[in-house]
Amino acid sequence: MAAPRDNVTLLFKLYCLAVMTLMAAAYTVALRYTRTSDKELYFSTTAVCITEVIKLLLSVGILAKETGSLGRFKASLRENVLGSPKELLKLSVPSLVYAVQNNMAFLALSNLDAAVYQVTYQLKIPCTALCTVLMLNRTLSKLQWVSVFMLCAGVTLVQWKPAQATKVVVEQNPLLGFGAIAIAVLCSGFAGVYFEKVLKSSDTSLWVRNIQMYLSGIIVTLVGVYLSDGAEIKEKGFFYGYTYYVWFVIFLASVGGLYTSVVVKYTDNIMKGFSAAAAIVLSTIASVMLFGLQITLTFALGTLLVCVSIYLYGLPRQDTTSIQQGETASKERVIGV
């Protein structure tokens, strides 16, 4: 009798992953168009901030629909948001860690060759798997570990761009670059798995958790806007360079962000990584048709590795999408016997 229900659950998970993949691919293609076609480039920091605001508003709207009445909606906000400073602080951790990750990634790119950066930054995929094992008490089979590292190699090849000779000499500090990339990789794995653990460790609504996280996200991104482009924004305006295409990109990023949280809630961060890899492949193929991008041998090989790794990871296995509570205690009792 449980089989039909399991099939529905599987179909829902596959649906969420497929939508997230398509949204991410569409966002990448649209972003590429806006950054190459618009004469007056907009400030990317303001776009990120607006994206966080829209995700917050969408989450509020979905929560209002979920609660069913204005009274229950107000009570939920009062209890979980306004009256829970500890929960707000707990959900501010991913936002702060992601901010550190982005800054470390930029620092690493400034001190490493682009090829070295591409290869080392993909270590965030196995790092996420390691954090999943350590923080959520899950186990991965040998075949799953092989598929994770195969995915890492595949994404690296898909995004590989041959180094071009240049006469400009850039002073770099490789030691600083590797240190920064290590911090960025650890931040990426930790923040994603931390958010997953918060989502799955209580019965609090996903949309309440999103509201808590996006509130802190808005504050973090506003600080980024001020520090990165404050002077220019004061001169040109917050919405400088915005077009209908830019707003479309922001919409895709907002809806894609909500679907990402759904994927993390009902699958896991490792599956999110596989979905993101598939989105990279799809967006590159779309770029071939729309922008005349040339497919290379490394891209074809990388795409093959990504597809094979997704197949291997998706083979029948123990369910890893829920936190295994009490698993450690049961093992200790077995040992004691």
Side-chain angles (χ1 to χ4, degrees), residues 132-134 136-141 318 323-337:
T132 299
V133 171
L134 295 178
L136 302 183
N137 295 323
R138 295 179 186 167
T139 56
L140 297 180
S141 67
Q318 179 184 0
I323 297 178
Q324 306 297 324
Q325 297 179 346
E327 182 179 350
T328 305
S330 62
K331 288 182 179 179
E332 290 178 354
R333 286 196 297 269
V334 171
I335 294 173
V337 174

Side-chain angles (χ1 to χ4, degrees), residues 291-303:
F291 306 114
L293 188 69
Q294 298 295 320
I295 290 183
T296 62
L297 179 61
T298 55
F299 172 79
L301 180 58
T303 300

Side-chain angles (χ1 to χ4, degrees), residues 16-30:
C16 292
L17 286 167
V19 172
M20 176 187 164
T21 301
L22 293 174
M23 290 293 296
Y27 166 75
T28 302
V29 174

Side-chain angles (χ1 to χ4, degrees), residues 75-317:
S76 179
L77 287 181
R78 192 180 305 113
E79 178 184 356
N80 297 296
V81 180
L82 301 178
S84 300
K86 289 184 178 180
E87 294 299 313
L88 284 175
L89 187 62
K90 183 190 299 184
L91 267 296
S92 68
V93 173
S95 299
L96 294 173
V97 174
Y98 279 131
V100 174
Q101 174 196 342
N102 292 333
N103 282 279
M104 290 297 102
F106 178 79
L107 181 62
L109 186 58
S110 302
N111 288 277
L112 295 173
D113 292 333
V116 176
Y117 172 83
Q118 284 179 334
V119 173
T120 53
Y121 195 48
Q122 298 312 320
L123 290 175
K124 64 183 181 180
I125 298 173
C127 183
T128 299
L130 182 61
C131 288
T132 299
V133 171
L134 295 178
M135 297 173 61
L136 302 183
N137 295 323
R138 295 179 186 167
T139 56
L140 297 180
S141 67
K142 292 181 180 179
L143 187 60
Q144 288 175 322
W145 278 112
V146 169
S147 66
V148 165
F149 280 98
M150 186 181 294
L151 179 70
C152 180
V155 173
T156 301
L157 290 175
V158 165
Q159 296 184 313
W160 183 267
K161 293 180 180 179
Q164 297 179 349
T166 177
K167 295 181 179 180
V168 180
V169 178
V170 180
E171 189 173 332
Q172 295 180 327
N173 185 340
L175 185 61
L176 178 61
F178 282 117
I181 203 70
I183 295 175
V185 165
L186 290 173
C187 287
S188 176
F190 171 80
V193 177
Y194 176 89
F195 182 55
E196 180 181 351
K197 185 172 184 178
V198 171
L199 284 181
K200 296 180 178 178
S201 297
S202 70
D203 295 328
T204 304
S205 168
L206 167 65
W207 308 110
V208 169
R209 291 303 192 191
N210 277 342
I211 291 170
Q212 293 170 338
M213 186 171 69
Y214 295 146
L215 281 172
S216 58
I218 291 172
I219 297 174
V220 172
T221 53
L222 280 174
V223 173
V225 168
Y226 175 78
L227 294 178
S228 299
D229 303 307
E232 289 188 74
I233 290 174
K234 188 175 181 180
E235 177 186 350
K236 298 179 179 179
F238 193 86
F239 298 101
Y240 174 78
Y242 276 57
T243 64
Y244 291 115
Y245 293 110
V246 175
W247 283 109
F248 180 62
V249 168
I250 292 174
F251 169 77
L252 288 177
S254 303
V255 178
L258 293 184
Y259 262 101
T260 299
S261 64
V262 173
V263 167
V264 171
K265 172 73 173 179
Y266 295 105
T267 62
D268 56 39
N269 270 278
I270 301 176
M271 290 303 299
K272 185 186 77 171
F274 279 86
S275 176
I280 292 173
V281 174
L282 288 178
S283 63
T284 305
I285 294 174
S287 296
V288 171
M289 297 182 289
L290 297 175
F291 306 114
L293 188 69
Q294 298 295 320
I295 290 183
T296 62
L297 179 61
T298 55
F299 172 79
L301 180 58
T303 300
L304 178 62
L305 287 177
V306 168
C307 293
V308 172
S309 66
I310 292 174
Y311 170 76
L312 292 178
Y313 192 85
L315 290 176
R317 67 193 189 279

